[in-house]
Amino acid sequence: MRISITQVPQADELNKVINTVEAIYNGCVTDLQIADYVGFTDRQGRYYRLAAEILGLVENNKNNANLTPLGTELIVLDDQHRQKKIRTILKDNELFKSVLKFIESSNEGKKRNEILNYLGNLIEGAESTIARRLFTIINWLLSSDLIVLDIIELGENEKETVYKVNEELEEDDFIEDSDFKDSIYPASYNNDDELDIKEVHMQVVTLLRRNEQDKIVIPPFQRNQVWKQQQKSRFIESLILNIPIPPFYISQDLEGKMIIVDGLQRSSAIFDFLKGKYALVGLEALPSLNGKYYSELGELQARIEDRELLLYILKPSVPLSIVYDIFNRINSNGTPLTRQEIRNCIYIGKATNLLKELSEKDEFKMAIDKGIPSLRMKDREAILRFFAFSEANAQEDYKGDLDDFLGKTMRKINRMSEAEINSLSDRFFRVMKLTFDFFGYTNFRLPTQNSRGRINIALMECISVYFDKKSDKELLDRKMKIVENYNNILLKDHSFRESIRISTGSVSNVKIRYNKTFEILDK
């Protein structure tokens, strides 16, 4: 069925659609009032109100605009969550869902004229009007980060822009209705219990000494945002000038080690400077110190060493879901830590080393055809999910808290012997080799109508567990049938597809995908 041109927005800027919803929330009901609030012409006010109606955020009541429940739900969110909610609304809208599916059908991306030709068959309207609306559609998808731009080489120094689906978006980058129902709130916070968080004042020299004694740990991070020498120097200058600095947040493990989770760059700046690894540069308040190392500061050394720092220490009794929430609330570097990055801090040891090592192995990269980015440790979480759900009785023991489930697995790995760690590695490599042998370059991918699709982490998790539980003989004797059943479950079983796409951590979806996997692949 073709989409009416009336359901295609002509308001170019998505952020101003949100401003329009905000205007209505604040009492503007006519196009003129909306235009005055947002800074539009009267005509633009109408375009943007209609665009908000198309998204289901606004309804027209006798030429007065009212917010729908969805519009109210959106407008009370902060900017970060508004972006997630708008992204969710767009991917569920019939027009944008169709365009995204078309763009996703090509691994090389789609050119502008290809998208225009597709819209000509999708939308019922004049060709010239559709061509004008193309700009709005692409602009909305780009500003919501649902698609990205790429450049392809055409030969002889010619290049062309193409549009691709953003493969770095994860489930956490969207807000589904079930997210509020399955939230950690309010169950994880209990009004009757005070969180075991200790406030400690510690001198810089004491912090350094404990770090040298391995009592304070700075976890290794793969982050682009690493302080430059001038940033480090300005922080040291702040210590000397006694300028207030943000507190450090520490997670204490069961062995008593304190792991710095928020304050990584600041603590590194202190330790590296006191160990003579860099000289101060780019200082403006104390320019006479530029070029000087710590050993050359004379009496100012004592001012740095004696400076007291504020540490908030989260004891091991604090539930993991609350640890995630706290560190995402207070994270000071502007980019909230992913949950796997936080796990990488809290459970530093054998588990973090194993996940890093396995994620860099050729067997894994071949099995996924480099389809899971290492950025933000997404690849390590995928491996961890296999280990967690391949445990005996894992599906029965799983209670719906994926974070706690994965955290317990890392804690268990940290206590394993070298022989047990080697056994985990061997099992993982076996599964990666076997699944690639069976499914090749479609391994762990959710196919579209015209392409092999992208890697799906929940699919990788359950298929890997299936192969782990079966012997080589059981698998190889039925190879052709398993491949056929694998394709059928992905293409024809709607409930299975939904269980690996939406709310993948819910108890019901975990049960559905494992029951379906073993039932259908065993046929």
Side-chain angles (χ1 to χ4, degrees):
M1 183 180 295
R2 300 181 75 188
I3 296 172
S4 168
I5 193 67
T6 61
Q7 294 303 305
V8 184
Q10 52 184 326
D12 293 338
E13 298 182 56
L14 185 56
N15 67 312
K16 289 185 177 179
V17 176
I18 300 175
N19 291 344
T20 298
V21 178
E22 190 175 272
I24 298 167
Y25 179 75
N26 287 312
C28 302
V29 296
T30 67
D31 293 344
L32 181 59
Q33 290 171 332
I34 294 169
D36 287 342
Y37 184 97
V38 183
F40 292 147
T41 64
D42 295 354
R43 188 177 181 184
Q44 285 176 313
R46 180 172 178 273
Y47 287 163
Y48 278 86
R49 175 180 60 80
L50 290 173
E53 284 185 29
I54 289 171
L55 293 182
L57 303 170
V58 171
E59 59 187 4
N60 187 0
N61 182 18
K62 298 178 181 178
N63 291 324
N64 284 341
N66 295 323
L67 290 188
T68 63
L70 183 62
T72 303
E73 183 182 314
L74 169 75
I75 212 61
V76 298
L77 299 174
D78 60 33
D79 289 343
Q80 180 186 1
H81 288 86
R82 279 186 188 180
Q83 177 79 344
K84 291 182 178 183
K85 190 63 183 177
I86 277 289
R87 196 179 287 140
T88 307
I89 292 169
L90 288 180
K91 78 175 180 65
D92 291 337
N93 175 274
E94 197 60 40
L95 168 65
F96 290 96
K97 181 165 61 174
S98 299
V99 174
L100 284 169
K101 190 173 181 180
F102 174 70
I103 294 173
E104 190 178 26
S105 67
S106 170
N107 292 323
E108 291 73 35
K110 292 292 186 181
K111 302 173 187 175
R112 193 179 189 88
N113 66 320
E114 291 177 320
I115 299 174
L116 180 59
N117 291 336
Y118 174 74
L119 291 177
N121 295 319
L122 177 68
I123 298 170
E124 190 173 348
E127 186 176 328
S128 58
T129 305
I130 295 172
R132 290 195 301 271
R133 304 284 174 91
L134 171 65
F135 177 80
T136 298
I137 293 170
I138 289 179
N139 204 37
W140 284 23
L141 291 173
L142 285 171
S143 62
S144 63
D145 296 323
L146 285 167
I147 64 172
V148 293
L149 288 172
D150 198 10
I151 306 295
I152 57 172
E153 303 283 346
L154 299 178
E156 297 183 2
N157 297 323
E158 290 188 16
K159 299 178 180 179
E160 188 165 10
T161 299
V162 295
Y163 302 93
K164 293 183 175 181
V165 169
N166 185 357
E167 296 193 354
E168 293 188 4
L169 290 178
E170 302 181 21
E171 194 175 355
D172 288 346
D173 294 313
F174 299 87
I175 297 180
E176 308 284 356
D177 290 339
S178 58
D179 290 340
F180 297 103
K181 297 171 187 173
D182 297 337
S183 168
I184 65 170
Y185 310 109
S188 295
Y189 284 95
N190 190 323
N191 292 332
D192 299 328
D193 296 331
E194 186 174 339
L195 294 178
D196 193 3
I197 301 175
K198 189 176 181 181
E199 183 178 309
V200 173
H201 293 269
M202 185 178 293
Q203 289 182 322
V204 165
V205 67
T206 305
L207 190 74
L208 175 66
R209 190 179 305 118
R210 293 198 177 184
N211 176 248
E212 291 172 341
Q213 296 169 345
D214 289 331
K215 293 179 180 178
I216 290 183
V217 181
I218 299 180
F221 253 86
Q222 293 182 340
R223 274 299 185 85
N224 295 327
Q225 298 102 328
V226 177
W227 276 8
K228 307 298 183 189
Q229 190 172 340
Q230 185 180 21
Q231 290 172 285
K232 295 179 181 180
S233 300
R234 286 175 60 84
F235 176 70
I236 298 299
E237 184 182 46
S238 296
L239 295 179
I240 295 172
L241 294 171
N242 202 33
I243 292 173
I245 61 173
F248 293 72
Y249 284 81
I250 310 291
S251 176
Q252 190 169 39
D253 65 16
L254 293 170
E255 283 74 39
K257 285 190 177 182
M258 297 192 293
I259 302 158
I260 299 175
V261 179
D262 188 76
L264 297 173
Q265 305 296 347
R266 285 173 282 147
S267 53
S268 295
I270 291 172
F271 298 152
D272 289 349
F273 184 64
L274 268 61
K275 292 175 182 177
K277 292 186 178 181
Y278 66 92
L280 299 175
V281 296
L283 302 185
E284 296 175 352
L286 301 173
S288 62
L289 299 183
N290 284 327
K292 292 187 181 294
Y293 286 87
Y294 174 70
S295 60
E296 300 172 313
L297 292 186
E299 61 185 22
L300 290 179
Q301 289 179 339
R303 190 180 296 184
I304 296 173
E305 292 176 358
D306 294 343
R307 177 67 191 269
E308 281 198 345
L309 306 173
L310 175 60
L311 279 59
Y312 287 110
I313 301 176
L314 279 68
K315 296 294 186 176
S317 60
V318 177
L320 192 58
S321 59
I322 295 179
V323 173
Y324 290 131
D325 182 49
I326 290 172
F327 285 128
N328 278 328
R329 285 173 187 252
I330 52 84
N331 186 260
S332 62
N333 65 7
T335 304
L337 300 169
T338 66
R339 300 196 168 196
Q340 186 56 36
E341 286 172 329
I342 295 175
R343 284 186 209 106
N344 209 61
C345 295
I346 297 171
Y347 300 110
I348 190 168
K350 293 179 181 179
T352 53
N353 292 337
L354 175 65
L355 295 177
K356 179 179 185 297
E357 179 184 324
L358 295 181
S359 70
E360 295 171 349
K361 292 295 185 181
D362 290 339
E363 291 90 341
F364 176 57
K365 292 181 178 179
M366 180 179 68
I368 62 171
D369 193 27
K370 301 179 180 177
I372 306 177
S374 58
L375 187 69
R376 313 304 305 274
M377 301 187 183
K378 187 176 180 181
D379 51 351
R380 300 188 200 184
E381 181 168 311
I383 298 170
L384 178 59
R385 283 176 68 150
F386 160 67
F387 287 139
F389 281 99
S390 62
E391 285 287 311
N393 302 316
Q395 288 79 57
E396 291 75 18
D397 294 340
Y398 181 69
K399 304 304 180 188
D401 189 337
L402 184 61
D403 297 321
D404 180 66
F405 195 62
L406 297 181
K408 286 179 178 177
T409 302
M410 291 192 74
R411 188 184 301 127
K412 182 175 181 179
I413 293 173
N414 278 340
R415 295 170 177 167
M416 286 183 175
S417 66
E418 185 175 348
E420 290 172 316
I421 296 283
N422 290 338
S423 175
L424 284 183
S425 298
D426 291 343
R427 283 172 48 208
F428 178 72
F429 290 139
R430 171 184 174 269
V431 166
M432 291 301 106
K433 291 174 183 175
L434 277 170
T435 53
F436 184 74
D437 176 54
F438 273 57
F439 310 122
Y441 293 104
T442 64
N443 202 20
F444 309 138
R445 293 176 183 268
L446 190 58
T448 66
Q449 198 167 18
N450 301 304
S451 77
R452 62 176 178 160
R454 292 178 289 164
I455 293 280
N456 179 286
I457 303 300
L459 176 63
M460 173 183 165
E461 167 210 297
C462 60
I463 295 298
S464 296
V465 170
Y466 175 84
F467 272 72
D468 183 58
K469 300 297 183 184
K470 302 290 181 178
S471 69
D472 287 4
K473 186 176 188 321
E474 286 179 289
L475 294 168
L476 295 173
D477 284 351
R478 300 183 56 254
K479 180 177 180 180
M480 291 182 62
K481 197 62 185 174
I482 290 174
V483 172
E484 179 185 341
N485 291 339
Y486 175 78
N487 292 327
N488 284 337
I489 195 174
L490 292 180
L491 296 173
K492 299 178 181 180
D493 197 302
H494 176 74
S495 62
F496 177 82
R497 287 175 65 93
E498 290 300 294
S499 75
I500 62 173
R501 288 181 60 250
I502 299 171
S503 300
T504 60
S506 71
V507 173
S508 59
N509 280 341
V510 167
K511 286 182 178 178
I512 287 171
R513 67 172 171 267
Y514 279 97
N515 289 341
K516 291 274 187 179
T517 297
F518 280 82
E519 173 192 338
I520 294 178
L521 294 193
D522 275 345
K523 278 188 177 177

